[in-house]
Amino acid sequence: MSVCVLEAIRVPRGKGRESGALHSVKPVDLLKTLFDEMQTRTAIDTKVVDEVVLGCVTQVGDQGANIAQAASLYAGWDPKGSGTTVSSYCTSGITACAIAAAKITAGQGDVFAVGGVESMSRVPMMSDKGALFVDPAVSGKLPFIPNGIVADFVASREGFTREQLDQYAADSHNKAAFATEQGYFSRSLVPVKDAEGNVLLAQDESIRGNSSIETMAGLNPMFAGMGAKGGFDELLCREYPQVKEIIHDHHAGNSPGMVDGASLALLASSESAEKLGLPVRAKLIAFSSKRGPVIEGLTGGLYAAQDVLERAGMNAADIDLWEFNEGFAGIAMNFQRQLNIPNDRFNVNGSGIAMGHAMGATGVNILGMMTDELERRDLRTGLIAISGAAGIGGAMIVQRGS
């Protein structure tokens, strides 16, 4: 049974700070914007929706109490089944898609709304005070290495220089700026408005066009002190003796920005898509939640990508386009190197360094970006992947609809 993507939309990502364009907007209202737009675009009777499954990492405050259920009902939807909010760290949006796809394949439903939300200006990362972050007995046993230090470790292991990391980051910003200017994102972008109908944000807010190594030269690395004082550098070098020293070269410019955002997609069986009379924009072919070593943190997306290719009976050369969330320049560069991905197939319109990483929303953000770009380029097959903390990985193969 095919799992069809009927539509995939997102709001622009706003800077995750009080001065950001979306700080005044509650997460349920970010989602309501998309629920409203989805109903307008598809004219779907929401009673046919079996379940709403949304990713959200920090489920406290504005994002607590099962925001999938709250936001869908708040938006006036009337699905047959429950709303479910899931967290698998940064891969939460892919996980939401995979849960729905598995239920469709198993005959446990026909139509699902999936997506995610993260308002990082209103609900800061780690404000849930989970044991992974605040309990040394737990974090030390895993062991949990903070993501920025993992990024510096991977860059050091692979021999990436500060100049290479900065060039990658500058390219991400410049590609995203060009794509924005050319309207490549306009198919899926839904502007956010205030109660009076005034547009608060129509384009991704954190993109910096005309970026270069020179514009980033004055930015200081962020994780050296943490690596030394926390004993993380020593631990990694002991576990990986081939790495003699961790060079801390990641800074605010070559790291993913914290942003506010939301995304929503409509998935259905092929039979339901036909009954609804809606065109199939893409199909989900395979998915994976394979993880990497916990101590290597943000390498999980690589393991998931390798696994999903194997599950689909494909290899990297079969993939026309790749969307890998840029969780630090060194992590993205390593993913590209290990899979031998040509530059003209990899993150062709920029990614998390330029546009930011609204954690729970990112999976369906990049699903929509992939679907748009496969259509625009008249290509067939794409792979989306994300790495999360503590080794978590998520990947999915997407094929353009006929």
Side-chain angles (χ1 to χ4, degrees), residues 260-277:
D260 302 336
S263 57
L264 193 67
L266 195 64
L267 306 185
S269 64
S270 53
E271 294 84 355
S272 291
E274 187 174 350
K275 288 178 184 176
L276 292 168

Side-chain angles (χ1 to χ4, degrees), residues 274-296:
E274 187 174 350
K275 288 178 184 176
L276 292 168
L278 294 171
V280 175
R281 296 192 63 204
K283 294 182 179 180
L284 305 183
I285 301 304
F287 46 89
S288 172
S289 58
K290 186 94 178 260
R291 70 173 178 87
V294 173
I295 196 171
E296 290 185 19

